[in-house]
Amino acid sequence: MSQSIDSRSINAIRILSADAIQKANSGHPGLPLGAAPAAYTLWSKIMKHNPKNPKWENRDRFILSGGHGSMLLYSLLHLFGYGLTVEDLQNFRQLHSLTPGHPEYRHTAGVEATTGPLGAGMAMAVGMAMAERHLSSVFNKENYPVVDHYTYVLGGDGCMMEGISYEAFSLAGTLGLSKLIVLYDSNDISIEGGTNIAFRESVRDRFKSFGFQTLLVEDGNDPDAILAAITEAKANTTQPSMIEIKTKIGAGCPAKEGKASAHGEPLGVENVAALRENLGWEDTTPFAVPQDIYDHFASIAEKNKTDEDTWNELFAEYKKAYPEMAELWDQYHDEDSASKFLEDETFWNISDKADATRNISGKLINHMKQSIPNFFGGAADLAPSTKTYMSDLGDFSKETPEGSNLHFGVRELAMAAIGNGIWLHGGLRPFVSTFFVFSDYVKPMARLSALMQVPLTYVLTHDSIGVGEDGPTHEPIEQLAMFRALPNFYAFRPADATETAAAWYFAANSKLAPTALILSRQNLPQLSGSSKEALKGAYILEDSTKDIPDAIIIATGSEVQLAVEARKKLLEENVDVRVVSMPCMDLFRDQPDSYQEQILPSSVTKRVAVEALSTFGWERYVGLTGKVVGMTGFGASAPGDLLFPYFGITTDAVVAAVKDQL
């Protein structure tokens, strides 16, 4: 009996995936073979998407959270006409190919997020659904649903085991994100064997407790049942939905189906041949797909193009009916909206008295929100401490989706991923916040921010042993060195209001990199020499009167004032030093060599750095013979103003270090 075009199309996805993995001799065939019917059904019969314009604003979003199954996505992108060629599939996992081992955002058209760390895609999908919900509440008018799309995310048992998915979906259920639909590729297999060795809970019951609608498809090879389940999920307008689809890993390959060995290794030449025979795929030529199947996918893509055409007509009418909303739409999508702050003197003079940089940051956020209407952010249950609450903008919730203040709950890891997802969706400028020490929980998703070139802003407060009585569990030591080691990531530790303004200006104008603002709990004085030069990462705060300084003191944050005081004391002993404030080591490295030499001349080898954090990494700027006044162990529980002298981070210690150099 001849197969239907749908069955043959599903098998085309399977064959292309198996061939690419076999040619590369590397990859994960299990997920593409098992999940092909679900993915095909979603992409061909449900999703709004236009291959001719992968960035169409009102497209449905699809995230492959199980990024190891990337060939499933690449096969879909190829067959639907997103620009991936057969040659691209043949170069799977090869250097500079458009088909890397895991999907990479900005690298391959149609990839909505970089996935691979399991569960991360799940959480980013929650962020996208939050963005859609907020934007629809802001812009939609009666008869003009200009923001109206779904977020679909596909992942397996590994994604469900990772704690990040628990955090993210708990929040999604609380928020009632009804346009979030999770497709759970449930095959009961993990790398080490059956999932029952480590994972026996009812995932559907867990999702019910989150507040999700839960549905079950008993046979993952039944496209009609999958279609019915997704249709039912879409009909629920009050809850997000999770569809458990029971599949067999490596489906269709007789020797591998249902076995752990199908997960992460090529099937083998003989098994690929057996897969073809079992599926009734007659052509034995690798990567060969009959023309009528290509024509079928092209006809679906052409039909889908009309979805965008219809939306474009609707949006044109919307702009005429609501010109003020069209103007607001343009503001929301203006990547340069924060550039105006460079010449805004109020912005640069937000405070003229001693104040904590977290407080100054809070004032800056509330100043910027007046000109950046798409600010959308919050904290992991710490907004009163991190000063990230935007007054008069309301809370984003199930009942009030128009609010702009996000409450992530105590979910730092998911918070960062959700922030990525909000930015990836487009139209919003998100920020997230917690205590600096908890950046350890944030780090894996901050790494994805950097990798994806997503300019998410991280507001991280309580920046040093100045936290005080909370003790070593809450006093960051090594965290700044961790962020400085991260490529394409900018960590600012400002010393006063001017430098905090510089940090926010940089963050709000960043296009291709995330930024962390590392902010103090304790009050810091405003420094007479601070300036917009902080936008270069480091600058001369107070200079020597000599052509060649006797020494250079480099400091960040609260310790810049110690360096200033140390210079005064040294002058009394006829030692004339330069004080360099270095709020962002990462940004200073970006400056021309000539500027770096101007600030830190190589002829001056006598150098001291002071920072109430780990001394790791300062050798780059003080040299192997320089001195670093900082932390070499963990903190302690006591008032912050007692801890600095206890750990030897004082003006006198800086003076002694300079004199030791001389």
Side-chain angles (χ1 to χ4, degrees):
M1 186 174 69
S2 62
Q3 295 180 343
S4 70
I5 190 65
D6 286 338
S7 295
R8 294 173 64 228
S9 297
I10 290 167
N11 288 338
I13 295 169
R14 287 169 162 156
I15 293 298
L16 287 173
S17 299
D19 283 347
I21 292 164
Q22 189 59 45
K23 184 174 187 301
N25 197 29
S26 175
H28 300 74
L31 185 152
L33 295 181
Y40 169 78
T41 301
L42 175 65
W43 279 56
S44 66
K45 302 183 185 304
I46 296 286
M47 269 177 55
K48 290 188 305 186
H49 63 114
N50 180 11
K52 302 301 181 187
N53 182 14
K55 290 298 184 181
W56 169 39
E57 288 95 335
N58 202 43
R59 70 192 181 279
D60 288 336
R61 271 62 169 178
F62 173 79
I63 303 94
L64 180 64
S65 185
H68 57 277
S70 58
M71 265 314 305
L72 172 69
L73 181 54
Y74 299 148
S75 296
L76 289 165
L77 294 174
H78 167 68
L79 290 165
F80 275 99
Y82 275 81
L84 282 186
T85 64
V86 170
E87 289 73 21
D88 291 322
L89 302 188
Q90 292 171 339
N91 283 321
F92 177 55
R93 290 190 163 219
Q94 304 309 301
L95 185 64
H96 303 313
S97 75
L98 291 175
T99 49
H102 291 77
E104 294 181 20
Y105 176 71
R106 295 188 191 273
H107 187 75
T108 308
V111 172
E112 299 279 9
T114 298
T115 55
L118 292 180
M122 296 290 189
M124 287 188 281
V126 172
M128 293 181 188
M130 288 169 64
E132 192 278 341
R133 185 75 180 98
H134 178 66
L135 290 168
S136 66
S137 71
V138 172
F139 287 102
N140 288 359
K141 300 291 184 181
E142 187 175 359
N143 298 322
Y144 292 100
V146 293
V147 181
D148 180 21
H149 51 264
Y150 285 79
T151 301
Y152 300 95
V153 58
L154 171 64
D157 293 299
C159 288
M160 296 305 183
M161 290 186 212
E162 289 285 2
I164 190 172
S165 63
Y166 181 103
E167 291 183 18
F169 290 137
S170 174
L171 182 59
T174 299
L175 294 172
L177 301 176
S178 59
K179 289 185 177 176
L180 172 67
I181 297 176
V182 181
L183 305 180
Y184 171 25
D185 175 34
S186 176
N187 58 37
D188 300 323
I189 291 294
S190 61
I191 291 175
E192 295 181 354
T195 53
N196 62 0
I197 61 176
F199 186 56
R200 298 189 181 188
E201 76 232 38
S202 167
V203 176
R204 267 179 290 135
D205 284 344
R206 191 195 338 159
F207 273 78
K208 285 178 185 176
S209 75
F210 292 154
F212 275 62
Q213 170 183 227
T214 60
L215 303 167
L216 174 64
V217 175
E218 292 280 7
D219 180 6
N221 265 320
D222 184 347
D224 291 337
I226 294 167
L227 178 61
I230 300 174
T231 302
E232 184 176 351
K234 289 185 66 177
N236 189 323
T237 59
T238 60
Q239 296 172 287
S241 297
M242 188 278 279
I243 305 171
E244 181 174 7
I245 304 173
K246 300 298 292 184
T247 64
K248 290 184 178 180
I249 193 170
C253 181
K256 295 281 190 174
E257 184 176 281
K259 296 181 180 178
S261 60
H263 169 78
E265 60 188 45
L267 297 176
V269 174
E270 292 181 1
N271 285 325
V272 172
L275 172 70
R276 275 180 159 78
E277 183 177 353
N278 193 43
L279 296 178
W281 192 267
E282 296 179 357
D283 196 329
T284 60
T285 307
F287 299 98
V289 174
Q291 186 59 46
D292 68 321
I293 293 179
Y294 277 120
D295 293 342
H296 172 64
F297 278 97
S299 69
I300 297 171
E302 186 61 30
K303 178 176 63 69
N304 286 356
K305 182 179 178 297
T306 63
D307 288 330
E308 182 180 355
D309 293 338
T310 301
W311 182 85
N312 286 335
E313 292 173 7
L314 176 73
F315 192 66
E317 294 173 10
Y318 172 79
K319 288 194 292 184
K320 292 177 183 177
Y322 299 97
E324 75 285 358
M325 297 307 296
E327 183 180 345
L328 185 64
W329 179 279
D330 290 341
Q331 286 182 273
Y332 269 59
H333 293 83
D334 179 6
E335 292 186 355
D336 297 315
S337 59
S339 61
K340 62 177 71 73
F341 295 122
L342 188 62
E343 305 303 328
D344 178 356
E345 289 309 309
T346 304
F347 178 81
W348 292 96
N349 296 288
I350 204 80
S351 179
D352 60 359
K353 66 180 191 309
D355 204 353
T357 52
R358 62 167 176 162
N359 292 338
I360 295 163
S361 170
K363 294 174 185 176
L364 288 163
I365 289 171
N366 278 281
H367 179 76
M368 287 188 290
K369 76 164 197 283
Q370 300 171 46
S371 301
I372 307 178
N374 59 339
F375 250 16
F376 193 56
D381 198 42
L382 286 171
S385 291
T386 60
K387 309 302 180 185
T388 44
Y389 194 82
M390 294 179 286
S391 60
D392 305 320
L393 292 187
D395 297 343
F396 177 80
S397 71
K398 181 177 183 178
E399 296 75 22
T400 57
E402 69 279 3
S404 297
N405 288 289
L406 304 181
H407 299 279
F408 292 101
V410 188
R411 301 182 179 102
E412 294 90 353
L413 179 59
M415 173 184 72
I418 288 168
N420 284 337
I422 292 169
W423 192 93
L424 289 166
H425 176 279
L428 293 168
R429 191 81 199 191
F431 61 86
V432 298
S433 180
T434 186
F435 288 168
F436 186 31
V437 74
F438 300 142
S439 61
D440 288 340
Y441 289 154
V442 164
K443 165 63 167 57
M445 297 304 107
R447 183 177 188 272
L448 274 187
S449 303
L451 187 59
M452 292 188 290
Q453 299 179 325
V454 164
L456 180 62
T457 301
Y458 295 84
V459 180
L460 305 171
T461 68
H462 296 59
D463 69 335
S464 71
I465 53 174
V467 172
E469 294 88 342
D470 279 342
T473 62
H474 281 52
E475 292 164 6
I477 301 298
E478 76 284 6
Q479 283 75 14
L480 187 49
M482 170 181 76
F483 276 141
R484 285 171 174 161
L486 185 58
N488 193 44
F489 192 97
Y490 292 83
F492 271 87
R493 187 170 181 248
D496 69 354
T498 302
E499 291 191 0
T500 306
W504 257 119
Y505 179 82
F506 179 86
N509 284 282
S510 178
K511 301 291 196 299
L512 296 172
T515 307
L517 279 66
I518 317 300
L519 306 172
S520 74
R521 177 196 187 194
Q522 73 275 27
N523 290 346
L524 305 183
Q526 303 312 313
L527 303 167
S528 60
S530 63
S531 73
K532 295 178 185 178
E533 290 291 293
L535 290 170
K536 295 179 180 177
Y539 64 105
I540 300 169
L541 184 75
E542 293 193 3
D543 206 359
S544 165
T545 60
K546 298 180 177 180
D547 291 337
I548 300 177
D550 292 331
I552 298 175
I553 306 173
I554 314 168
T556 77
S558 52
E559 290 70 69
V560 174
Q561 179 61 19
L562 299 183
V564 170
E565 293 298 325
R567 180 175 183 275
K568 291 178 183 176
K569 287 195 172 187
L570 287 163
L571 273 174
E572 293 172 1
E573 301 183 39
N574 294 318
V575 177
D576 201 346
V577 303
R578 169 180 292 180
V579 174
V580 170
S581 179
M582 189 177 283
C584 186
M585 191 182 287
D586 317 282
L587 188 52
F588 182 61
R589 284 203 300 271
D590 288 349
Q591 304 309 309
D593 290 345
S594 58
Y595 179 78
Q596 294 187 50
E597 176 66 18
Q598 175 189 337
I599 303 303
L600 298 175
S602 52
S603 59
V604 183
T605 59
K606 295 173 172 47
R607 301 181 182 183
V608 171
V610 53
E611 187 172 65
L613 293 154
S614 170
T615 60
F616 183 85
W618 275 108
E619 296 85 358
R620 181 184 188 113
Y621 293 112
V622 301
L624 297 178
T625 59
K627 296 288 185 182
V628 185
V629 177
M631 297 292 294
T632 56
F634 292 111
S637 180
D641 56 358
L642 298 181
L643 290 179
F644 282 89
Y646 177 77
F647 286 108
I649 302 174
T650 63
T651 297
D652 288 342
V654 177
V655 169
V658 171
K659 291 168 73 174
D660 183 64
Q661 286 284 285
L662 298 174

